[in-house]
Structures are given as C-alpha cells and as structure tokens.
Amino acid sequence: MKLEGPWITFGPMVTVRRCEGCGASKPRVDSYAAGWRLLRMLEPSTSEELLAQRELCPACARDPELRSKLRAEGWDMIDNCAHRTVTLLNGHDAGAVSRLGHDQPQARPRRATLDRRMAAGLRVAVAARRGSVTQALARAMHGMPTALRGAAPGTAALLTLAAALAAWWLGIRTVDPRQLGDLGLVPALPLSVVLAVAALNVSFCLTLRAARPSTPMLLAHVVTLIVILYACAIPIQQVEFNAVWRHAGITDYIMRTGGVDPTIDAYFNWPGFFFLAALLTKAAGLSSTLDFSQLAPIAFNLFYLPPLVLIARSATRDPRLVWSAVWIFYLGNWTGQDYFAPQGLGLFTYLAVLAAILTWFRTPVRRARALRRWGGLSTAPRVLMRGLRFSRRTFQRQLPEPPVERLSPAGRAGVMLVCIACIAVEVASHQLTPFAILLAILALIVVDRCSARGLATVTAVLIATWLSFMTVDYLSGHMENVTGSVGQVSATVNASVGSRVAGSSGHLIVVYVRIAVTAIVLALAFAGFGYRFLAGERSRSLTALALAPFALAAVQAYGGEIALRIYLFALPFAAFFAAAALLPSYGRRPGWARTGVMIAICLMLVAAFGYARYGNERIDVFSHREVQAVERMYHIAPRGSLLVAGSPYLPWRARHYADYDYKLVSRLKPSELGLDRPAAPGRRNMVLATDVAAWMQDRVTKKHNWAGFLILSRTQFAAERVLGSTGAVPLAELAREVERSPRFKKVFDNGEGQVFQLVTRQREGGR
Amino acid sequence: MSRAAWLWPAAIIASGSAATVATLLDLHTAARAPLAFWFLLVCPGMALIRLLRLADPWQELTLALALSIALDAMVAGVLVYSGAWSAGAAVAILAGISLAGALGQLWRARPRPSSSGVWQDVEGAEPSSELRKFSQERVEP
C-alpha cells in the first residue's frame, strides 16, 4: 500500500522523521538551529532524540486517538518551554539560569550577567508578555507545522533584481575599452551601473530583515551579484588578460599534437587543467578556448557557490549568516584569479574538498573533553584570564555546532573517493593549490576537526609522486625558483606587497584600495570571530581554515603573488566571520541600525571591489588592432623564428605555442644586453636598439632561428606607464630608437601595434 | 517510480547520447557547445553522486561538479598520456560512465512490492486543510 498524502507533524523540532504509528523512521536534515538552540538553552539536557519531530505517516494519521495524543504532547513541550522562559525572565528559577550557563551549578545567577545566549529566549519572552506565550514561541521556532512556514512574496526584491540587471546590461555596453584610464573600469562606468550595484546591495540587506528570509530570494540576489560583478568583460566584447591567450595556446598545442612536451615550459608539467580545456573545446566543436574563456570568471564564481554554502552551513544553521558569508566572499574576491586559468579551477577544488570534509568528516565537538582541558589549566593562565575578565565560563561556553551529516559507510567511501579524485586532478593541474589543500587538512587535524586523517597522507603522497615523476624536466632547471624562498618570509612578503606599491599615481590608488579592502575584510573577520567567541558560537574548524593559508608564506614567494593567494585561500572562511560581525548572533533578525551598518559596509566593499578588481583594465584589455598586429606577425614570420615582445602585455601565443622562440625584452637582465658595462666611446645614439638587435642576432645565430621579429603594442606602453618600468629597457625609448635604427625594418604598423623585422647579418639562402 | 527518480537518469542518458553523437559526427549546430558544457561539467558526476542519495541539493551539486571535472580531466589525461587522444573517445567513455550511473539510479528506484511500512516522500505536498485548521486554531490567539 502506498502511503500518499501529507504527513502530519507535531512538536517543535525536525531532526528525525519517525512515524509514531508504525515506528518506521528516516533521518531528516532540515533541522533549524534557532529552535534547537532555544530548546538546548532552556533545557541543556535535551537530547536530539527528544527533539525529534513527532510525525504521523498518512496511514497512521487516520487514527484520531493517536493524533490527539501527539498533538497534546507536542504542544505540551512548547508550553513548557514558554513557561520556563517567563520564569527565567522573572528571575524566579535560579537553577534554570545556571543551566543556561551550560551545566554549571556553581555559577551564581545574576540577571545583569545573563548569558548572551539568553537573548533569543528573552525576545520570545518579551513577545510572550505582549500576547500569547504559545504564539510567541511558535513564531520563534522553526519546524512548526508546514502551513505556517513560507516566505513573503518579495515582489519588490524581484523587481529590484530585474531592474538592476537591465540597468547594468544597458550601462556596461556603453563602456569603450580604449577610454580606460589608470584607475581602470570604474571611472568609465555610467551612473546606471553604479545605481544597479548599489540597489542590489541594499535589496540584499533588506531581504535579510525578513522574519523568514527566503532562500530562493537570497540565491537570486547572489546569482545577480555574480553576473554583475564578474561578467563585465562579456558586454565589452574583449578577451581580457594576456595569460588567457597563453592558456589558449597550450590547449591548442594539446588539441593539435595530442600530447604534452614537458620541456617547453612549466605549464606542460602541470597540464591537468589544459586536458580539461582541450576536451571541452573539442567536444563543443570550437576552435580555441578564446571562444568561451570570457565566460570563465562568471562560470568559476557560480561553481564556487555550492561549496561556499556547504562550508558556511557546517558552522551555522542561520540562513542569514550563510548567505551573508557568501555575499561578503563575492564582494571581497577582488584578486582576479578566476580568469581562464588553472588557479580558477583550483579554488573550486579547494572549496569542494573542504566542504566535503566539513560536511561529512568533521569530528563532532566533544564537550566533556573541552571542559577537562580548560579545567586542567595551570593557575597562572587562569588568573590571567580572570584579570582579563575572560572567566572560565566564557571559555567553556560553547553552543553546539550544526550536526555532522550522517551517511552510510558506502556513502562516506564514495565521498572520500570524490575528494581523492579531485585532489589528484589538482595535483596535476596547479603548483600551489595542492599545498593549500594539504595545509588546510592538516590544520583541521591539528584542531581535532577532521576524522578523515588519512586524506592528508594521501594528498602528501600524491603531491610527492607527481613532483618526483612528472615534473622532473621543469624542476631540474628551476630548483632555485621552487626552493629559493623556503623560510624567507620577510623577502616573500616584500616581493608580494612592498614591490607592488609602484607605478603611476592612478595605479597607486588602485594598489592602496586593494590593500585597504584586504585589511577591512580581515579586520571584520577578526571582529566577527571575537563576537562569536563571546557569544559561545565557536567555529574552530573555520578559524583553523582561515589561518592555515598564511603558512604558505613560509614555503613559496610564488613569483611575488603569494600574499594575493593567501588572501584568496583564506577569504571563504574570513568572509564567514566578517558576515558574523555584521549580523546578530543566534540567528536573530537584524534591527534597522544593524541593517544600516551592513548596507554601508556592503556599499563600501563593492565600491572598493570595482577599483581593486578592475583597476588594471587599461593593461588587461586588448584592442582588436593589437590582435590584428599579432595575427599579421604570425603571417609574416616563418615558423622557427625568434619573436620578441617588449613585455608580456600582448595577446599572443594563442596559437603556434611551440612553433616559435618567444622572448620578452622586459625579462632580459642588463648583463644580457651589455647594459651593465659603461657605454663605449662614441656610442651615444641608438644604444638600446643596437643592444637589443645584437642580443636578438646572437639568439638567432645560437638557436638557428629563421629570423627575428620585434613587436611593440599600445598595451605594452600603457603597462609601462601604469605599473612603472620593470625591465632593464624603457619601452618608449626603445620604440623611438627602433623606428630609426638600420638594424630593424618595420613590416607592419596599424597605429596600435608595430612589427619590426631584424635585419640579420649572417643568414643566407632564406627558408 | 516517482517522477524525480527517473528525471535525472533520463536527462543524463539523453545528454550523454546527444553529446557523443555530436562529437563523433562533428555536427556543427548552435546547440552543440551548450550541450557539451552541460554534459561534461554536470552529467558524469551527477550520474554517480546521486547513487549516494545525499539529502541536500547543495551537497549533490558540489560533489557532482567536482567529480565531473575530475573525471573529465582524468579521462582526457589518460588518453593524452597513452597517445590515444581523441575528444570523441573521451566523450564516449564519459557517456558510458554516465550511462552506468544513470542505470544504477534507475535500478535503485525501480518499483518494488509495497507494504504498510513503505515510506513515501511527500516533502513538497500541500498540507491538508485539516492540518492547516489545526495549526491555525492552536497558534492564532
């Protein structure tokens, strides 16, 4: 017989679904923290079993006796809770107040020092005084009969979202990439885009004020935010960032040759991402990843969403906090590491593996053990703590975390296999992310929050195996790059932060905004951590995960990018604490003052995001003429030629990745050009052009190249102006000299890109 | 069998077949790219992850995306390193994996003889008027 029709539910909580009639049971995981917390607060001895929602399956629900019995029991429980709350408020029940301090009968019940955790209870009680006690409690608790749930329609919010999207789309299409200045995209944005972004943030904060924020509505806000913040390149119709073109070239090589050559460069020693890219491109019937790489930022950020939700849910059941954490993550992710690159996918793998560990392999909090540890403190720290007014009670106070998801042994094995597969692919895709994953797992093990301890060993073995067998070609020539910065924390920090504070005045503002937004998010996170700590809402796992990436600074300078990567790996967890600083604890509804503060901070963060994230647009966006110049160079230059660019800001190498000898003037050392020697007498003019020509000639002869070509373009000059000269050769000066030098012949010029051919001295015969 | 039980397997099998045919025959249609992205990024993982019967769609989605990407990269990587790179072969292998997972889902969800203890999930069902009346009479003052 099929049991059809609705289930009838009784009682305040939903944890285990059990039919009281026939006894069949089924775990159910939509328990709500608010109700559970409140009951735990009122009755610390309440077990999950007691909190099971009493239900009747449709068949048993036909029995009127059974129904009335359960109905009475369910409402008895609620009435008891209400009664206890009112008693507490009147200060009549000292025993109950001490129980609020979590099983500490010795603690003196003082109204003035009532635990903050009582706030939820107080709110209920105040409401209870105004009206019906039962009604107040019923409203405070989730898990009430389904008919009472349901969100407000939120038509205004939906209209705001639609209007914001439309205004953004219409506004962003009017931006001319050639008009961008040193401050990047923001000054070029029309007012409609600014208003759209502001309205979206205000609408999100107001949605959080609903008594029951609707998850679909919050999700709609987040998806709209992702589109508006991360899809700016699509309407401008440009492929951004020189690395995207390079990655297209590597994928093109794999698609054409069906193999990898580890001797070409480091990318071919970690080719996992490019295998995926080649498969996607071919299966989609496209010719290059450039056909879809514009979509990468929005796609990656949408991919990050599910694991971000799971991570936040592992520490709280408060939907406001979960979605605010996600919101802050997207406002704070200015690092721009989500373009079409291995690290974009790497962050997803990192988040997915950690979300799986936190959801299924998190060690439950062992209260007794925690008590013993604090109780066993020596006298000195205890006195110190009292001096700081952090009593033992403050440290012992710990509300239960959301329960670990239950899964069958086979299911756990399946999830573990998924984690291992993801880590294996990541080990083959990116140099840094596997180390970040390993550090995060180790951090969880150290704070006793990971039951899958073997996963750290598996990760370490996978990393060691890949490095030992698959990257020998790269490591044998670059061991100094890899191990040179181990332990050099100060030099690493200087390379990552200090050396980046340079360039034009506009760019300096962008750099300072980046530092400021990083500092604000981390400061908010610190405040949120303290707020939750004092409220007894500990999240040891997320704290450990927020701190773990900082250990990367001791291992690698990562080409001066390690500070950026540390921030990126810590951001998902820092964002959770930052959101906690903006919301009331215990899942309460934020008041108007708090909502105002939250709106102000969100607006500030989103404004800073615009400058920090899109501050380099002038050098990241290439014009069609530059692309045309590169195409023309490939057409003119015979395969096997030496191709030289002033700096990496050029849309090249998207094809013919291994067909030419590519070099950059900006990467040349002064000694390679002879610039470290004093100029010979009589050498006044054309020094740079002559030296570069001599170096190119030398290279052409040594490498048996067919010819030598030099390409200079608008973005290379802009990069030098914006970022400041980084190489030994000033490009603007070089361009002027090359124009007049007899050693170079101009073969193409369209105003934004010039191609010069080296006039070789020794080559005879031609191709 | 409820609709939810066969919807995903049917979508996975259909997407896998269509993507394989489009890749092997090198069809040039506007729908090919969206179909390939949908199939490669979602279907292989979803076919296997749904066998775990996870309780929450966010959990399912996280693991399905992660596993799909991992399987894609591994299948493509094995073909490249073994010198047998072919996008058609890779898509066919992934479609085979997806098909196996989808059939596994259908097998687990097959109709079985019911008894009085069988559970029927009615999460989204509308509460009865009786329940609504009951909750209103107890909650409203």
Side-chain angles (χ1 to χ4, degrees), chain B residues 7-132:
Chain B
L7 202 58
W8 263 111
I12 289 167
I13 293 171
S15 312
S17 323
T20 310
V21 169
T23 313
L24 290 177
L25 301 183
D26 198 18
L27 300 177
H28 290 283
T29 60
R32 182 172 164 188
L35 173 70
F37 285 125
W38 156 257
F39 170 67
L40 290 174
L41 296 177
V42 178
C43 292
M46 198 54 97
L48 300 179
I49 291 298
R50 278 181 62 84
L51 294 173
L52 301 181
R53 294 191 169 177
L54 301 176
D56 181 67
W58 292 107
Q59 297 171 357
E60 221 166 48
L61 197 56
T62 303
L63 291 185
L65 288 172
L67 184 59
S68 297
I69 288 169
L71 284 174
D72 293 351
M74 282 198 275
V75 168
V78 166
L79 288 177
V80 169
Y81 280 121
S82 60
W85 161 250
S86 149
V91 172
I93 292 170
L94 289 163
I97 294 172
S98 308
L99 179 67
L103 291 179
Q105 286 179 35
L106 290 174
W107 172 255
R108 290 188 72 161
R110 71 194 185 280
R112 276 170 285 192
S114 62
S115 67
S116 60
V118 171
W119 289 69
Q120 180 75 22
D121 202 272
V122 285
E123 292 280 349
E126 196 63 23
S128 69
S129 58
E130 192 187 358
L131 176 63
R132 198 186 299 272

Side-chain angles (χ1 to χ4, degrees), chain A residues 74 86 96 156 181 243 250 294 302 322 342 359 379 530 561 583 636 687 725:
Chain A
V86 175
I250 298 161
Q294 275 179 314
L302 285 173
V322 169
T359 308
T379 315
E561 280 194 8
L583 289 170
I636 297 168
V687 178
S725 180

Side-chain angles (χ1 to χ4, degrees), chain A residues 321 324-330 521 525 570-580:
Chain A
L321 184 49
S324 302
V326 170
W327 193 262
I328 301 276
F329 171 84
Y330 286 116
V521 170
L571 181 61
F573 315 103
F576 174 82
F577 289 110

Side-chain angles (χ1 to χ4, degrees), chain A residues 1 3 5 7 17 24-26 29 67 71 75 135 271 275-276 279 282-283 285 303 306-307 313 360 405 422 425, chain B residues 32 36-37 55-56 58-59 62 66 69-70 72 77 81 85 87 90 114-115 118-123 130 134 139:
Chain A
M1 179 181 71
L3 303 178
W7 285 68
R17 250 187 127 166
S25 69
K26 179 178 171 188
V29 274
R67 270 191 359 222
R71 190 177 296 169
W75 287 100
Q135 181 193 6
F275 293 152
L276 175 68
L279 176 57
K282 275 284 188 188
F303 275 30
R313 273 195 192 171
W360 290 285
E405 293 289 334
C422 289
V425 167
Chain B
R32 182 172 164 188
F37 285 125
D56 181 67
W58 292 107
Q59 297 171 357
T62 303
I69 288 169
D72 293 351
Y81 280 121
W85 161 250
S114 62
S115 67
V118 171
W119 289 69
Q120 180 75 22
D121 202 272
V122 285
E123 292 280 349
E130 192 187 358
F134 158 71
V139 171

